[in-house]
Amino acid sequence: FADELLHRQRGDGGWAAARWTDALATTADVTRALAGYAAHGQLPRERAPRLAAALLSARTFVRTRPTYEEPFLLGAWLSAWVAAGGTLRHPSVDRILKRLVDRQQPDGRWPSTPARHLIRPDQDGDGRPRHLYVDDDDVVVTAVVIRGLSDVLRASPRRE
């Protein structure tokens, strides 16, 4: 399976999937999977150079992505950056952490943007599109942010 993921990496270093509008989300998931695969010794030694090159290319992809305001993409950026071996000293890491602090709600969640809905085709025949909200309670967004923050925390040097 790792070979298939490596094969599907785009020329710009990212990965894309039809269900995500931004390749950053898919790249975060794939880099985390490949890094975990390698960390647990699941990748044959002869494929290690290919994996290292793929992660380096993914790091370049992530570094060149704009850092959006959307917490979902900010969390995905952190996960992809850490999994691809990016340094926590990169200026975008601090900038993203500050944005996430600013965007966190009093109840602890991170809000999604109004673009969190999918438009279904008109099913009532009245000419108006219907909207299906997929994350009204911001569960998915908050989970992706927490995952990104956890990845940063795990990559941080331990303080005794």
Side-chain angles (χ1 to χ4, degrees):
F1 186 70
D3 285 335
E4 185 63 25
L5 290 174
L6 291 169
H7 176 72
R8 291 184 178 270
Q9 188 175 27
R10 300 182 326 186
D12 65 1
W15 283 267
R19 74 178 213 187
W20 298 113
T21 57
D22 193 297
L24 183 59
T26 305
T27 299
D29 288 340
V30 173
T31 54
R32 289 181 92 243
L34 290 173
Y37 200 67
H40 290 91
Q42 301 297 312
L43 193 68
R45 184 168 288 167
E46 65 272 6
R47 290 195 187 101
R50 172 68 181 102
L51 175 64
L55 292 176
L56 179 62
S57 185
R59 193 163 57 241
T60 300
F61 171 80
V62 174
R63 186 179 62 243
T64 60
R65 303 300 297 170
T67 51
Y68 305 98
E69 293 297 322
E70 166 63 49
F72 178 87
L73 291 174
L74 296 175
W77 193 100
L78 291 173
S79 286
W81 182 250
V82 169
T87 175
L88 298 181
R89 293 184 302 276
H90 189 279
S92 290
V93 173
D94 190 50
R95 196 167 38 250
I96 289 171
L97 293 174
K98 287 177 182 172
R99 284 184 186 167
L100 289 173
V101 167
D102 291 343
R103 297 288 313 272
Q104 189 175 22
Q105 302 299 295
D107 64 2
R109 67 185 167 84
W110 280 270
S112 186
T113 62
R116 67 181 169 201
H117 61 273
L118 304 173
I119 298 176
R120 298 184 301 176
D122 174 26
Q123 294 180 348
D124 295 334
D126 63 3
R128 294 181 303 158
R130 300 292 180 246
H131 296 88
L132 173 65
Y133 286 86
V134 294
D135 193 19
D136 282 337
D137 297 322
D138 303 316
V139 173
V140 173
V141 173
T142 299
V144 169
V145 170
I146 289 171
R147 181 183 71 186
L149 294 172
S150 295
D151 291 341
V152 168
L153 185 60
R154 277 193 297 281
S156 298
R158 300 273 185 228
R159 296 182 189 186
E160 298 296 326

